Amino acid sequence: IEAAISDYFNKHQLGNNTKLAIACSAGIDSMVLLYTCLKLNIKPYVLHLDHNWREDSYQATQFLENFCKEHKLYFISEKLVLPSLYEKSARDARYEFFTRSCQGLSIENILLAHNLDDQAETVLFRLFRGTNSKGLAGIPETRMIDGLTIHRPLLKVSRDQLSNYAAENKINYIHDPSNSDINYA
């Protein structure tokens, strides 16, 4: 995983002097990405949006706040208040939060922890729903939104690899049971 992320950073010229943010949910994917960045001597700004969908969602915020204090990382968190639990409105709110936060800090690059399994799920979902050839391409490795480059360095890493790496390196994270909820696409 370290080699994959290091290769990604080299490919996209994201060196130690690049000001980076990381979208961090406190889940296994984003904590592995954050941990690996620190291991590679990269200290990103940590952005966390509490969707406020569960009564215990504040635990992820507290966990990340403590992690960032311990590692001397800049931490920004907001609590989302949505009238409904729609995935699309939550996704739109997340990207708006990322963009606004990064613009406020003059950050042009953000890391998201989508992995190979997310990629497969996206392609299958689009295929079953009906899509064109562009939709079958899946999640792009990079994407621009309002001057912010979104990077996904884990797209070639499987969830099993992430789990193994987290176990081997004793990486703590918060398990979100809503990730297993089949009510959401």
Side-chain angles (χ1 to χ4, degrees):
I1 289 179
E2 291 164 26
I5 293 173
S6 183
D7 290 347
Y8 183 94
F9 285 178
N10 288 334
K11 176 182 175 184
H12 294 280
Q13 300 175 343
L14 300 173
N16 290 352
N17 296 327
T18 305
K19 200 172 180 182
L20 287 173
I22 181 171
C24 198
S25 67
I28 190 169
D29 304 357
S30 59
M31 288 309 296
V32 165
L33 182 56
L34 178 55
Y35 175 88
T36 306
C37 284
L38 293 176
K39 211 166 176 187
L40 296 171
N41 294 316
I42 294 169
K43 290 196 154 205
Y45 290 68
V46 178
L47 307 181
H48 172 71
L49 185 63
D50 177 354
H51 287 87
N52 198 27
W53 287 359
R54 299 182 335 271
E55 287 183 26
D56 64 350
S57 67
Y58 68 92
Q59 292 175 351
T61 305
Q62 289 177 341
F63 171 82
L64 283 170
E65 188 172 15
N66 291 335
F67 184 93
C68 290
K69 280 180 186 172
E70 179 183 339
H71 295 278
K72 297 177 175 59
L73 298 173
Y74 193 91
F75 178 64
I76 297 177
S77 178
E78 285 185 11
K79 186 178 246 186
L80 186 60
V81 179
L82 286 176
S84 62
L85 299 180
Y86 290 114
E87 284 274 318
K88 184 183 179 334
S89 55
R91 183 174 49 251
D92 291 345
R94 262 194 314 274
Y95 283 99
E96 187 277 327
F97 167 68
F98 299 154
T99 302
R100 179 172 31 86
S101 298
C102 287
Q103 287 173 345
L105 295 165
S106 301
I107 295 173
E108 296 177 356
N109 297 281
I110 186 169
L111 306 173
L112 273 63
H114 293 112
N115 62 56
L116 185 60
D117 293 51
D118 297 324
Q119 181 74 285
E121 289 169 4
T122 298
V123 170
L124 287 173
F125 179 74
R126 289 177 179 172
L127 179 66
F128 293 134
R129 186 182 60 192
T131 188
N132 59 23
S133 58
K134 185 180 177 187
L136 289 176
I139 303 169
E141 189 174 83
T142 62
R143 178 176 153 204
M144 289 285 292
I145 296 179
D146 296 327
L148 178 64
T149 304
I150 296 171
H151 295 274
R152 296 179 178 94
L154 296 177
L155 276 182
K156 296 178 181 168
V157 178
S158 73
R159 196 163 286 140
D160 285 344
Q161 289 173 299
L162 292 168
S163 294
N164 291 338
Y165 185 85
E168 288 168 11
N169 291 279
K170 298 177 176 60
I171 299 171
N172 294 319
Y173 59 91
I174 302 288
H175 174 71
D176 180 355
S178 70
N179 288 336
S180 305
D181 191 338
I182 61 172
N183 289 317
Y184 302 109

